[in-house]
Amino acid sequence: MAGQIPQRFIDDLLSRVDVVEVVGERVQLKKAGRNYSGLCPFHQEKTPSFTVSADKQFYHCFGCGVHGNALRFLMEYDKLPFPEAVEQLAGRLGLDVPREGADDPRAHQREKKRKEGVNLLELAASFYRERLKMREGQGAQQYLENRGLSAEVINAYGIGYAPGGWEALKQHLGEREISEPVQIEYGLLIHREDTGRTYDRFRDRVMFPIRDLRGRTIAFGGRVMGDEQPKYLNSPETPVFHKGRELYGLYEARQASSKLEQLVMVEGYMDVVALAQYGIHNAVATLGTATTEDHLSRLFRLVSRVVFCFDGDRAGRQAASRALETALPLMIDGREARFLFLAEGDDPDTLVRREGAEAFKDRVTCAMPLSEFLFEQAAQGRDLNTVEGRERFASQVLEALNKVPDGMLKSLLLEALAKRSGLAQQQLQALLDKRTAAPRGQAYWEPASEQFHGESPGLENDSLVNRSGRQGEVSQVLSAVSRIVQLLLHEPRLIVALPESLCWLPESEETSLCRALIALLRAGRYRSPQVILAHFQGTHEGQLLSEIAKKEILLPKEHRETELKDNVNYLKAIKEQHDPQNELDALMEQFSALVKKQESGEKLTVQERQKFMQMLEANKRL
C-alpha cells in the first residue's frame, strides 16, 4: 500500500520480535554466556565471531563488522527491500503493516484494486495449470516433454496452457463474476473497438506466469508451439506489471537458494527453465525489453555479480553494448558485470542440452569481464598502431569512464587504459576530470560559493534549476537545498555538520523533504541510502528523493562536508539578505548617514534630498 510506514510501528515491531529467533532460523547459534554465537553468514570463517545479544536485541560480527537489529538482518541476509522486511517481521506476529496516509480513500481504493488484480491473475494462472493437465493440453504436454522439462520444473515455474478457443478464460472468469473491463485492464482480454468484441489475449500457447519477489502472479508470457508469430507474447503494462522493472525467474531463483552469489541474464523463458532443468537455478530473463537500470538495480541488491548471456551475432553484440552502457553508472565497488557470448545459432537452452550443466557453468565462469568488453568495444574498427586510432580509442573509453562512479574500479580502469593507449595516467586523469566538470548531456554542479555574486538567485524555483553548461547546451543543476539533501542521502554521517537550528532553510517544496530527512537522520536510525529511500517509498517526498539520488555526486568524499557547509552558509546569506529586520536596519543606517551629512553642513544632492524626504515620510507612518 502506498504511504510511509510509521516509525512508531517499526519501533514497536522491533521491541516485540526476538532477534535471536530471527537469526537462529538462518544461522546455527550456540549459547555463550548471556549471548549466542555462531559462524558469520556474511563472510567465510572457521572460528565463530558472530554474536547475537538477546538483551540488546542486536547482532554483531567481530570479524567483518556487520551489525544491526532483526530488521537489518532480514534485509542483509534475505536481500529484502525495507518494506518487505517490515512485512515479514510483522507477519510473524500476525500484524498488518499500517501506512501513513492509509486513511486516504484513494490510497485505500488503489490498494484494494491491486489486491483484486493479483487475485484475478492467480485465478488465471490456476486455470492455465489445470488445462495443461487435461486432454486439451496434450499438445502442450508433448511440447514440454520434447523440450526435456520434468514435472518438477513445470510445477516449480507454474507452467500452464492457454486453450485454443477464443473465450475459454473469459468464460471461466465470468462464471466467477469477474467483469470483462477488469479482465481487459489486467491484460487477459483484448477489446476490439471496431466490433466491440472481447476475446482471450492468450490462445493455444504454453503459459509462463511472471511472479513478483513475493511469488504473486503479476503477468504472463505465452509461447507458441509451432511457427506462428509472434513466438512470444507478453502481458501489456497493467496496474501491477511494468516490464521495465520485472524479471522472469527471479522469484524462483531466490526460492532455490537463499545465498545467491551471481545471476545470469538470458533472453527468454525457455532459456531460464531449461537451465533450471539442468540444475542451474540462477538464470533470469527480461520481458521483451532491453536491460534497464531498474532491472540491474534490483539484481545488484540481491547479488554482487551479474553475467549477461547473449548470442554472438550482430544483434547479440548490440544488445550487449546497450547492457554495458546501462551497467556503467551502477558499477560501484564490490559489484561485477561479465559478458558471455554464445556461438551463432546457439542459445542457453540448446547449449546446456548439448554440452551439459558443468560445461555451461564453466562458460559462465570464464565470461568476459566488463573491463575487457569495454576495451574491446572501444578498439573495434580502429588501428591502435596509429596515433589517431589510439586517440579515438582513449576518447571512447574516457567517455565510458565518465559514467562509472568514483572508486577502485574506476581507478583500475584508468590505469589499464594508460597501459593500452600509451598515455600517462596523469594525463588521462586530467582529461577525465575535465569531462567530469561538465559532462555532455548530464547534470553538473556549480558550487554555492560561485553561484552567490551580489544579487541572490530566486529560491522560489523548483529543486532543479536550468543552467547553461556550455554555450548552446542546457543542463539541470541541483539547487542548494537539493544539494544538501543529496549529500546527506549519500553521506548520512554529515548530519553532525549541520547547525542545530534549521532557520536557514527557505520555504519551498524541497524544504519539507530536507527537514524530514534531517529529522530522520538525527533520530539516529538509518545510515544506508537504500534504507533511507525505502523509508520514504510511496510518498511524494520519496519521488523527489529518488530523482535526487539518481544524480551522481561529482565530488571526492573528503570535500563533501565543506560542500555541505558552503551550501548552508549560502542559504543563510540569502535568508539574511531577505530578512525584513535586516532591510529595516539597512534603511535606518542610510537615513542616519543622510542626517549626519546634513548636520555637518554638507549639501545633499537632489537624489539624496528626495531619498531623505521619502525616508522621513516612511518614518512618520511607522
Side-chain angles (χ1 to χ4, degrees), residues 220-472:
F220 293 97
R223 193 196 191 286
V224 297
M225 293 168 283
D227 298 326
E228 296 85 358
Q229 293 296 326
K231 181 188 292 186
Y232 286 102
L233 179 64
N234 292 320
S235 292
E237 297 274 317
T238 72
V240 296
F241 175 59
H242 307 284
K243 62 182 66 177
R245 293 205 297 261
E246 303 298 336
L247 290 156
Y248 178 73
L250 185 55
Y251 167 74
E252 289 81 3
R254 291 184 65 202
Q255 291 297 109
S257 174
S258 61
K259 293 185 178 181
L260 287 170
E261 295 181 355
Q262 68 178 10
L263 285 161
V264 181
M265 181 85 79
V266 294
E267 294 191 46
Y269 312 116
M270 285 306 303
D271 293 327
V272 172
V273 295
L275 290 173
Q277 180 63 54
Y278 281 78
I280 301 171
H281 297 283
N282 62 340
V284 296
T286 55
L287 304 166
T289 67
T291 305
T292 66
E293 281 198 22
D294 283 337
H295 287 143
L296 288 182
S297 294
R298 174 166 285 192
L299 294 183
F300 278 129
R301 282 200 296 266
L302 300 173
V303 296
S304 59
R305 186 189 306 119
V306 175
V307 180
F308 297 97
C309 184
F310 294 104
D311 294 343
D313 58 11
R314 182 184 179 88
R317 288 274 170 172
Q318 289 176 341
S321 296
R322 290 193 296 270
L324 173 67
E325 189 173 349
T326 303
L328 287 173
L330 303 175
M331 298 309 298
I332 61 176
D333 288 348
R335 292 178 177 177
E336 185 180 356
R338 289 176 170 265
F339 295 82
L340 170 60
F341 295 101
L342 307 181
E344 192 166 353
D346 268 339
D347 56 34
D349 182 7
T350 57
L351 191 64
V352 75
R353 297 180 197 283
R354 186 174 71 246
E355 295 184 351
E358 291 306 314
F360 186 83
K361 289 178 182 177
D362 289 342
R363 285 177 177 266
V364 171
T365 302
C366 298
M368 184 183 296
L370 176 144
S371 57
E372 290 301 314
F373 184 51
L374 171 61
F375 290 131
E376 181 190 273
Q377 286 284 102
Q380 198 168 22
R382 297 193 171 100
D383 184 358
L384 299 188
N385 292 319
T386 66
V387 171
E388 293 80 3
R390 290 202 302 277
E391 179 272 324
R392 289 170 186 162
F393 166 75
S395 292
Q396 184 168 331
V397 175
L398 284 176
E399 192 68 34
L401 288 184
N402 198 30
K403 300 175 183 178
V404 178
D406 290 337
M408 189 67 71
L409 175 63
K410 190 171 188 175
S411 298
L412 291 172
L413 285 170
L414 196 66
E415 182 181 336
L417 175 60
K419 293 177 181 177
R420 293 173 184 243
S421 65
L423 292 168
Q425 189 170 344
Q426 292 82 357
Q427 288 178 295
L428 291 170
Q429 183 65 62
L431 290 170
L432 184 60
D433 290 342
K434 190 175 181 179
R435 288 171 181 265
T436 300
R440 183 179 296 270
Q442 292 187 7
Y444 76 98
W445 170 246
E446 297 174 349
S449 57
E450 294 179 13
Q451 287 182 356
F452 186 55
H453 295 297
E455 294 184 5
S456 61
L459 288 174
E460 65 277 3
N461 296 334
D462 292 335
S463 59
L464 294 176
V465 185
N466 285 332
R467 296 286 174 83
S468 175
R470 294 181 184 142
Q471 193 169 4

Side-chain angles (χ1 to χ4, degrees), residues 1-6 83 87 97-115 214 216 534-543:
M1 182 183 292
Q4 185 174 315
I5 301 173
E87 291 276 2
V97 177
R99 302 275 183 161
E100 291 178 350
D103 293 335
D104 181 354
R106 291 174 298 178
H108 182 71
Q109 188 62 29
R110 284 195 301 269
E111 180 62 15
K112 181 181 178 182
K113 188 175 182 181
R114 177 182 174 84
K115 287 182 178 179
R214 295 173 65 178
R216 301 172 298 187
H535 182 89
F536 289 95
Q537 187 176 19
T539 66
H540 178 61
E541 288 85 358
Q543 293 177 346

Side-chain angles (χ1 to χ4, degrees), residues 576-593 615 622:
E576 290 172 0
Q577 188 173 357
H578 292 281
D579 189 332
Q581 182 62 48
N582 290 341
E583 293 180 7
L584 181 59
D585 291 344
L587 191 66
M588 294 305 295
E589 284 183 15
Q590 294 176 36
F591 183 73
S592 178
M615 291 179 178
L622 289 173

